[in-house]
Amino acid sequence: MTPREAIKQITTRLLPVSNEAETEARIMLGEATGLDRARIFLSEKELDADALSAVEEMIKRRLSGEPLQYILGRWSFMGLEFNVSPAALIPRQDTETLCEEALSLIKERGYKTLLDICTGTGCVAVSLNKLSGIRTEASDISPACVRLARENALKNDAEVTVREADLFFGASRYDIVTANPPYINDEDMAHLPEEVKREPALALAGGRDGLDLYRRIAADAAEHILPGGALVMEVGMGEADAVRALFPGRETRTVKDLNGIERVVSIGF
Ligand code: GLN
């Protein structure tokens, strides 16, 4: 079987579980053969038995509902590559909007210190450190995420101090705090798509109205953000107004993601 034929067959098999079956088929075949995913169509070389069995294994896992990212064990975000595991949320394109907003504030205002809370894979902290050089700390309540974020800092040659902590810790104050906290409400948690169910509830569930973590962040933020600083948070669909309302009297800014959804709320301190 040539790669071209294999991609057709894999695509057909993945259709029941994926909206992007062909892209996933190419990624799997690229992974199994080591061939470049964009040029794989051009190869006329027959696939060998090792490649076929590796790809078969990936298809089985994918058909059982596992996200492709967990099967590969890595995913890209902000042009960098991150290790991923079921201990942490998979880096998403939506979250690049959070990074872009934070980056522009860091550059415009010359911020020198950053704390990323709910860091998960560490993708936000590591990207911002790499792309701006800002002094970076990160925290997560999950020990497995702390290990993963440290691994990702090392993998990307970033300087990020990662601590196990429930949001803020100690008495330090920062120019900018970033957060992609869990924000899915109870109702939506009960109807998650199959593959999102494979991601940790700890990284998704935001309580009855989805806003539990924002309330806790709002209660403590002023103690940990320097005057003139900023808090930049990702929010769920339809949550931006309610999150802004948790910071009365402060200057706020909302940024839409590529789908036109209000995705990032930033608050001035
Ligand atoms: N964006 C994720 C989703 O909709 C949720 C991430 C989060 O809760 N921070 O699946």
Side-chain angles (χ1 to χ4, degrees), residues 131-198:
L131 298 173
S132 75
I134 193 166
R135 193 153 82 238
T136 306
E137 294 184 41
S139 73
D140 201 286
I141 193 173
S142 149
C145 287
V146 170
R147 284 194 295 275
L148 184 60
R150 285 181 181 149
E151 202 177 289
N152 278 322
L154 215 60
K155 180 183 172 96
N156 285 290
D157 201 19
E159 278 186 47
V160 179
T161 307
V162 190
R163 267 173 238 268
E164 186 183 324
D166 186 5
L167 306 180
F168 301 102
F169 52 85
S172 299
R173 299 177 88 182
Y174 304 83
D175 289 320
I176 178 166
V177 170
T178 51
N180 175 18
Y183 54 62
I184 300 187
N185 64 40
D186 285 350
E187 166 73 20
D188 291 344
M189 279 301 290
H191 303 99
L192 289 178
E194 207 49 45
E195 50 189 277
V196 180
K197 280 189 202 152
R198 301 296 186 103

Side-chain angles (χ1 to χ4, degrees), residues 45-58:
K45 209 169 139 256
E46 294 282 308
L47 295 169
D48 63 27
D50 283 352
L52 287 172
S53 77
V55 87
E56 193 56 39
E57 181 62 26
M58 287 188 257

Side-chain angles (χ1 to χ4, degrees), residues 89 92 94 180-184 192 196 199 203-205 234 263:
L89 199 74
R92 284 164 167 68
D94 294 341
N180 175 18
Y183 54 62
I184 300 187
L192 289 178
V196 180
E199 295 184 272
L204 296 167
E234 180 171 322
R263 183 59 69 191

Side-chain angles (χ1 to χ4, degrees), residues 7 33 64 96 123 140 173 175 178 180 225 246 259 261 265:
I7 288 169
T33 57
S64 82
E96 296 192 344
C123 66
D140 201 286
R173 299 177 88 182
D175 289 320
T178 51
N180 175 18
I225 300 176
L246 296 173
N259 298 312
I261 294 165
V265 170

Side-chain angles (χ1 to χ4, degrees), residues 109 111 173-175 221-230 250 268-269:
R109 303 186 182 168
Y111 288 156
R173 299 177 88 182
Y174 304 83
D175 289 320
E223 248 177 76
H224 297 279
I225 300 176
L226 292 161
R250 295 201 181 274
F269 278 78

